[in-house]
Amino acid sequence: MKLRLWPRSLIGQLVFAVAVMLFVAQAVNFALLVRGQKQQTLAHGGGMAVARIIDAVDRDRRGDFRGDPREARAGSPDRRDEPQERERAQKLVISDTPVPVPTGAVRMPELADYVADLLNEADVSAQSVDAWALPQRPRLRANFPGRTVIVAAQIDGRYFAVRSRIPTGGNRLQGFLVWQTLSLYLLLLIPIMVIAWRAAAPLRDLTRAARSNPALRDATPLEEEGPSDVRDLIIAFNAYRGRIATMLSDKDRMLGAVGHDLRTPLASLRVRVEQVEDDALRDKMIASIEEMAAMLTDILALARSGAGTEGREPVALRGLVEELAADYRERGKDVTVAAAVDAAVMARPLLLRRALRNLIDNAATYGQRARLSVERAPGEVRIIVSDDGPGLTDEQIRTLIEPFARGEQSRNRATGGSGLGLSIARDIAEGEGGTLTLRNRDGGGLYAVVALPTA
């Protein structure tokens, strides 16, 4: 299964793009803040340690500590009782041997390098510099914020170790960035979602209208709403659909006139033909006239499928197929109802009846018998007309649903029709918002399935 990260909808793409850009911007901001905080921490703890080391080196060179490590711990003899000197003695150790690493201390090479650079800038030559962070004591944390570090430098063969403190505010910084990120997401994503929804809502209505049958000339024009670009598109679509409706109305009027003009001479011709005394010749001529009239009816029905003034109403499909089967059985056709559930659809009854009659006629003519059934499916109801014929090839299934296409190539109505039955049924099904599908049965024969949306 392929993972799809990029959303397909307009709202999803806008929100995803802005969310990614905000995340990248916050990541860069976090990196810069962490780096700045790190530099500030080193400057705070390292600067204090360097000042104390330089002071200790100067005092050691003046001989204030008299070379006695114990005196270095306790401070100058004549000032060891002063509070300031006692505090200084607790933060300074001078020794001729390396200072031992405290238990549990963590080495800090970055702080050591920072202190070495500051000592070099102060013209104090240090042979080595080390730094460690001491374990935190929970009971002292409230009174002494930050973390205690020890910085030891070897200068002129002696080791100077001082204590300093570095601030610890990483958690506070992370919390601040989290709240900042959430605030930015709320301030930016919510307005973008509102704007995208305002633009996408009329686009969805436009998509549904474009997918509807253009022959439904009573469709209400779409409301002109949304951004100016979307409104211009809706205005153009409404005008375009209005022109289509006008063209279809003109076509219907033309076809009505043509049908009337053709039926009148055909009726007059049949009256004259019935006066022919030769019975065989008269029957042939009448059959030809009836074939022309039937073909004219099919052509007009195909041209007008999906149109007309008939309104939609709830149609009970079980009663409809049972009525059709009974009508065909009265005429001696083998048409039965295999199974039918109680279901209703919104459709134009006369057009739907005509589509089913075309399918039943094909099944009874080419498949020996017709079986009708009604089934429910998610969101739709299926009317199935099956037969026991030889079935069709994939190429025939693809082509027979087109106008004037026939499996039996002659144009004799005794062996077939004009090739318009399936086309009419398909156009009527699509005009009702459904589909017509042909497929072969496993045991032989053909399925013709009309799927209509549920009422």
Side-chain angles (χ1 to χ4, degrees), residues 287-309:
S288 298
I289 293 174
E290 290 179 347
E291 183 176 354
M292 293 174 61
M295 186 177 296
L296 176 61
T297 301
D298 288 343
I299 293 175
L300 293 178
L302 175 64
R304 291 178 173 177
S305 59
T309 59

Side-chain angles (χ1 to χ4, degrees), residues 244-449:
I244 292 178
T246 302
M247 293 172 60
L248 291 175
S249 297
D250 294 341
K251 181 204 70 170
D252 288 344
R253 286 194 296 268
M254 181 190 67
L255 289 174
V258 170
H260 178 271
D261 293 344
L262 288 178
R263 284 194 178 95
T264 299
L266 284 175
S268 178
L269 182 60
R270 174 159 183 171
V271 170
R272 292 186 175 93
V273 166
E274 289 178 350
Q275 298 176 3
V276 176
E277 296 180 357
D278 189 339
D279 294 340
L281 178 60
R282 184 178 63 249
D283 293 340
K284 288 182 180 179
M285 295 176 67
I286 292 176
S288 298
I289 293 174
E290 290 179 347
E291 183 176 354
M292 293 174 61
M295 186 177 296
L296 176 61
T297 301
D298 288 343
I299 293 175
L300 293 178
L302 175 64
R304 291 178 173 177
S305 59
T309 59
E310 185 184 10
R312 283 187 169 84
E313 60 184 64
V315 178
L317 297 182
R318 180 175 180 178
L320 176 62
V321 297
E322 289 178 348
E323 181 182 348
L324 288 174
D327 185 26
Y328 275 92
R329 284 196 300 270
E330 290 178 358
R331 292 185 287 165
K333 302 289 186 180
D334 188 0
V335 179
T336 58
V337 178
V341 299
D342 290 324
V345 296
M346 292 297 296
R348 288 167 287 190
L350 294 180
L351 286 178
L352 181 58
R353 185 185 298 268
R354 181 177 182 85
L356 295 179
R357 283 187 179 278
N358 289 350
L359 298 178
I360 296 172
D361 288 338
N362 284 342
T365 301
Y366 301 107
Q368 301 176 6
R369 62 182 59 88
R371 285 183 297 274
L372 309 181
S373 59
V374 179
E375 298 178 354
R376 290 186 182 274
E380 64 183 18
V381 180
R382 296 172 182 170
I383 309 171
I384 303 174
V385 180
S386 61
D387 59 54
D388 295 336
L392 299 173
T393 64
D394 294 338
E395 180 66 18
Q396 288 176 321
I397 290 177
R398 185 180 64 85
T399 59
L400 284 181
I401 206 167
E402 299 299 327
F404 302 104
R406 297 185 56 207
E408 197 276 324
Q409 296 302 319
S410 71
R411 292 295 170 180
N412 185 2
R413 295 191 67 88
T415 59
S418 58
L420 297 176
L422 289 177
S423 298
I424 294 173
R426 179 197 61 182
D427 290 349
I428 292 176
E430 292 179 353
E432 302 302 323
T435 58
L436 171 62
T437 306
L438 303 180
R439 68 174 187 270
N440 289 310
R441 294 175 54 201
D442 294 336
L446 189 71
Y447 280 127
V449 183

Side-chain angles (χ1 to χ4, degrees), residues 46-121:
M48 186 183 301
V50 168
R52 289 174 179 170
I53 290 175
I54 292 176
D55 178 67
V57 171
D58 291 340
R59 294 176 63 192
D60 183 62
R61 288 174 179 175
R62 293 197 306 265
D64 292 349
F65 300 134
R66 310 180 188 282
D68 187 353
R70 289 177 301 175
E71 292 180 357
R73 293 177 182 273
S76 178
D78 55 349
R79 300 171 60 191
R80 67 181 57 174
D81 293 333
E82 298 180 7
Q84 184 177 2
E85 189 64 24
R86 287 198 302 269
E87 181 182 359
R88 184 192 302 272
Q90 293 175 357
K91 298 180 180 180
L92 172 65
V93 173
I94 302 175
S95 174
D96 294 330
T97 59
V99 178
V101 180
T103 303
V106 180
R107 191 174 182 184
M108 301 182 65
E110 294 180 351
L111 179 60
D113 295 338
Y114 184 81
V115 171
D117 293 337
L118 291 181
L119 290 175
N120 290 331
E121 292 177 2

